[in-house]
Amino acid sequence: MNVFVTGLHGFVGSKVKAEFERGGHKVFPVLREDLLLGGERLDRIAKWADVVVNLAGEAVTGKWTENKMIDILESRRVSTRNLVDSLNRCSKRLKLFINASAVGIYQANRFCDEDSLDIGSHFLAKVANAWEEELNKLEGARKVVLRLGLVIASNGGILKRLIPWIKGRVAFVLGSGDQECPIIHVEDVTGFMMYLLKHQELEGVYNMVIPNSVNFREFVKALTARKGLVIRVKIPEWLLCLIVGNASTVLTRSAHVIPWRVMESGYEYKCRTVREVIEELKS
């Protein structure tokens, strides 16, 4: 099948490309300028696409200035709207549209599965909600929303920022350390996408996190378990907020996210626990 991927050259996008190509599919990028401008180029993509994987969006890392927050929101909303508009104009029906989202959509400090109505009112929740609303306008195609936790891999994601400190025998515990740490190995993200191709009955929202979640302190402890003597430095939330502004909430506040629909789907996780995630990183 012809698979078109937005955000193809990002950390997750490159893994998606490799996984789909291993499955015998042809993978093509959707250029950022085409997404933001819309029009004829996206119309041509709509005629050729069998599957679309939408990952594009301004990174949420870094300090959230007013302009940065606008970019985070509008890069997702506008690009998805233009893509959906082109697909709706096309006479050919798309087989599957996979849209990334975030577990940050949920209200913090709640137990939430995919059917939960505890949607947060904070910025990241508004971004994820707006992103998903644009996808809902797509007509006549199977739609899947993957609400991603913190995506883990040995060469990208959150570990890319943590590993240099750990190698130096320093591990940071952000905030209280008691906040939930909803993680997922990148190979389970791509593995579930491939699973979706084989199981056409699956659609709707799926929480992409491990079933056996831990808090941030436990995650850091597991990550440093075999490193010998490691100095754990606690960075309080107020200090983190001074450094990166409101972006600190990405790592210091979270719901307890339950991947009920993923487990119910029959998909077999490669990594179900934080220990398995860490072991996979070492292999």
Side-chain angles (χ1 to χ4, degrees):
M1 287 193 284
N2 293 329
V3 181
F4 284 80
V5 182
T6 74
L8 181 67
H9 301 298
F11 156 59
V12 176
S14 62
K15 302 292 186 181
V16 170
K17 180 178 186 293
E19 186 71 14
F20 275 88
E21 287 181 339
R22 274 196 295 270
H25 304 288
K26 296 179 180 179
V27 180
F28 305 93
V30 183
L31 300 181
R32 185 173 185 272
E33 54 266 34
D34 293 344
L35 283 171
L36 296 180
L37 294 174
E40 291 183 4
R41 290 190 179 183
L42 288 185
D43 289 348
R44 287 197 292 270
I45 288 173
K47 292 177 182 178
W48 284 98
D50 297 307
V51 176
V52 169
V53 180
N54 187 25
L55 306 170
E58 175 71 19
V60 299
T61 53
K63 193 164 186 176
W64 287 355
T65 63
E66 185 175 346
N67 287 338
K68 172 80 169 181
M69 292 171 74
I70 291 172
D71 287 343
I72 289 171
L73 174 60
E74 294 303 324
S75 61
R76 288 163 173 79
R77 184 159 59 184
V78 172
S79 60
T80 305
R81 179 182 301 161
N82 288 339
L83 191 52
V84 166
D85 284 347
S86 287
L87 290 166
N88 283 342
R89 285 194 296 268
C90 184
S91 57
K92 177 187 174 182
R93 293 294 88 183
L94 188 71
K95 294 180 180 179
L96 175 62
F97 193 117
I98 301 173
N99 202 81
S101 185
V103 295
I105 195 171
Y106 299 116
Q107 189 170 332
N109 303 316
R110 301 289 180 89
F111 283 80
C112 297
D113 63 15
E114 292 90 346
D115 295 323
S116 297
L117 300 178
D118 291 322
I119 303 302
S121 58
H122 53 284
F123 173 67
L124 192 57
K126 291 178 180 178
V127 170
N129 206 28
W131 202 2
E132 293 182 19
E133 284 180 355
E134 293 300 332
L135 175 64
N136 289 336
K137 298 172 185 176
L138 179 62
E139 301 168 357
R142 182 162 62 113
K143 302 183 285 287
V144 172
V145 173
L146 301 184
R147 290 177 178 167
L148 301 173
L150 298 171
V151 182
I152 305 294
S154 57
N155 61 347
I158 186 176
L159 287 193
K160 189 174 183 179
R161 297 174 180 274
L162 292 178
I163 287 296
W165 296 103
I166 292 172
K167 286 182 177 179
R169 303 292 181 180
V170 176
F172 289 116
V173 176
L174 306 180
S176 68
D178 294 328
Q179 70 272 26
E180 295 293 328
C181 188
I183 64 173
I184 186 73
H185 194 282
V186 69
E187 290 190 17
D188 276 316
V189 177
T190 59
F192 190 70
M193 289 183 185
M194 295 298 293
Y195 190 75
L196 289 169
L197 293 186
K198 299 174 183 177
H199 294 268
Q200 299 181 16
E201 74 280 6
L202 301 180
E203 59 184 347
V205 174
Y206 293 88
N207 289 334
M208 292 306 303
V209 297
I210 61 172
N212 302 282
S213 65
V214 296
N215 63 33
F216 192 84
R217 184 186 297 106
E218 291 167 333
F219 172 63
V220 171
K221 183 178 179 180
L223 195 60
T224 59
R226 297 184 181 179
K227 296 294 181 181
L229 180 63
V230 175
I231 300 172
R232 292 183 176 88
V233 179
K234 184 177 179 180
I235 302 181
E237 188 172 348
W238 65 265
L239 179 57
L240 197 60
C241 190
L242 284 178
I243 298 171
V244 297
N246 291 334
S248 63
T249 60
V250 175
L251 291 174
T252 60
R253 299 179 189 178
S254 177
H256 183 104
V257 182
I258 303 165
W260 178 251
R261 295 196 69 226
V262 179
M263 294 186 291
E264 195 178 42
S265 74
Y267 173 72
E268 295 187 8
Y269 279 83
K270 182 166 188 175
C271 302
R272 294 181 61 90
T273 67
V274 64
R275 178 177 293 182
E276 290 176 355
V277 171
I278 302 304
E279 288 300 319
E280 181 62 27
L281 297 179
K282 297 172 183 175
S283 61

